[in-house]
Every structure is written in C-alpha cells, then in structure tokens.
Amino acid sequence: VVCLSRSGGPRIQLGAPFVVGEILYDLDPVEPARDIQFDVTLRGVGVDDLGGADWGQTDTISLRRDSCAGLQVAGTSRTMWRNGTHRTATFTPTEAYPAVAVCLTRSADIPIAQIEGTFTISTVAYALSPAEPAAGIQFEVALSGISDFGASDAVSIRKDSCTGDPIPMAAPPTTAGTGATRTLTLIAGEGYPTAVVCLARGPRPIAAVGAPFSLLPSLNYHLPQAPAVGVQFD
C-alpha cells in the first residue's frame, strides 16, 4: 500500500494495494556444466495494467562469480526473449565455477539485483575402460561430473572436434545410464589419433567433453619363427 502523510498529518492510502512479487529462477538442465548450453528462466513478474507481461526490453540477465558485485562468468553468450510472465536467457559458459549468481538489471537506472541463491557450474569428465582403447576391441566411455544425465543425452566419438566426422563403428554402439553416470559402449572400426568425446544434452548443441584421446589402430601380432609344440616362443 502507498501511503501519504503531509506535514505530520494522518496517513492516507493512495490508490489500490499492489503486490510486491518474488522473482525466482529455474535452470534447464538443472545442473549446468562448462561448455554445455543451458537456460536460465526468471519467473514471478506479473502483468501490467494492459494485461501484458511486465518484462521490458531493457531487462537483462547476467551470470557472475559469487555475487552480483563479482566478475561475469567467462564465455557466456546470451540470447534473451520474453515468454508471457517469464524471461529466459541462454548461456554457454567456458569455465566451471562453484558459486554462480543470477543477476537482473531491469533498466539503466535500477541497480543490479541478485535472484535467489547461487548455483554451481560443473565440469563433465570422461573415463575410458580400458584406458588405451583400440579399434576392433570393445571399450567404454563413462561420463561423470553431474547427477542429472537423462536418457536423451547422446554420447558420440568424433574425429578432431564435435563438428568432425563420427568415428566408424564395427558394431552399433549403445548408451546407457542416467543420473550420475552416462556410459557409451562401442567397438570402433578404425583407429584415430585425436578422437573427441562429444555430448548432446537433449536438443542442445553438441559439446566436447575433456581433451581428445588416441584411439589405437587394430592390434596385431608378429611371430619371429614358426611355433612348434614343446618349443618356447614369443
């Protein structure tokens, strides 16, 4: 309620009461990770007198370290749009950080404000089993670092980068696991010196995970002489 008291006189109410709303944010995916695109959606702003959403074209969202007084998170690129009573920004961070603040600036003359508490930008990593995979032999690529892997998260192995050609397979690969681990099981049809692990989280752009690894060519053997029963050979 807006109240007015003139020269110490009684307070009088001006106009009708209004609501002071709370702005909240949602993350999609729920656990953001470095180099992987995610959305931040703000909600809680109501409608204006004309029945439209109160969000304005000057309302901007940024991600900062620790608080809204901190540095912006590196590598973020943002595309913002209005969706009814929601305001959404898309980010692709190039660094992980343990305490990321969601910050809102509603116009040039209104100070930046932090929305709710901080969240973590994690790092997705992979492990190979066996550690030195080779073409023609089954191996696994296990992803970890977040706990919200979904059934639609696709893992692939490509040449040089995630825009490169897929590594040819000797058999159809399989991907399994949700939650804290997502595992790709495969048999490569050929070796490659700079194989890259790539992850596509649902409809989002494909992203590289970790550094490239060497996929060895098909293993072979050599006999120095014809083996014979009862005679040692290597």
Side-chain angles (χ1 to χ4, degrees), residues 4-174:
L4 174 66
S5 174
R6 303 202 66 185
S7 302
R11 289 190 298 270
I12 61 171
Q13 179 177 325
L14 301 181
F18 63 91
V19 175
V20 178
E22 181 181 14
I23 298 179
L24 308 172
Y25 70 82
D26 298 309
L27 303 175
D28 184 21
V30 175
E31 294 188 32
R34 186 183 67 185
D35 298 323
I36 298 175
Q37 185 184 97
F38 71 97
D39 294 337
V40 179
T41 297
L42 302 188
R43 55 186 170 83
V45 170
V47 295
D48 58 24
D49 293 338
L50 300 178
D54 188 47
W55 293 112
Q57 294 299 323
T58 59
D59 296 338
T60 58
I61 304 170
S62 61
L63 301 183
R64 296 176 178 269
R65 298 180 180 183
D66 302 312
S67 72
C68 293
L71 297 175
Q72 289 204 33
V73 174
T76 59
S77 60
R78 61 191 184 190
T79 304
M80 304 183 63
W81 66 91
R82 296 170 63 176
N83 180 18
T85 56
H86 296 72
R87 184 77 160 157
T88 299
T90 299
F91 295 90
T92 306
T94 57
E95 68 170 337
Y97 200 76
V100 177
V102 177
C103 303
L104 173 64
T105 303
R106 298 220 62 190
S107 68
D109 58 347
I110 297 179
I112 191 170
Q114 181 171 333
I115 308 301
E116 296 193 276
T118 60
F119 67 92
T120 298
I121 295 178
S122 303
T123 298
V124 175
Y126 71 85
L128 302 174
S129 179
E132 296 187 15
I137 300 175
Q138 179 175 296
F139 70 98
E140 293 182 346
V141 181
L143 302 189
S144 62
I146 56 177
S147 61
D148 68 336
F149 284 113
S152 62
D153 293 342
V155 187
S156 61
I157 308 296
R158 294 177 177 265
K159 297 180 177 180
D160 301 316
S161 72
C162 291
T163 59
D165 294 331
I167 298 290
M169 295 290 129
T174 61

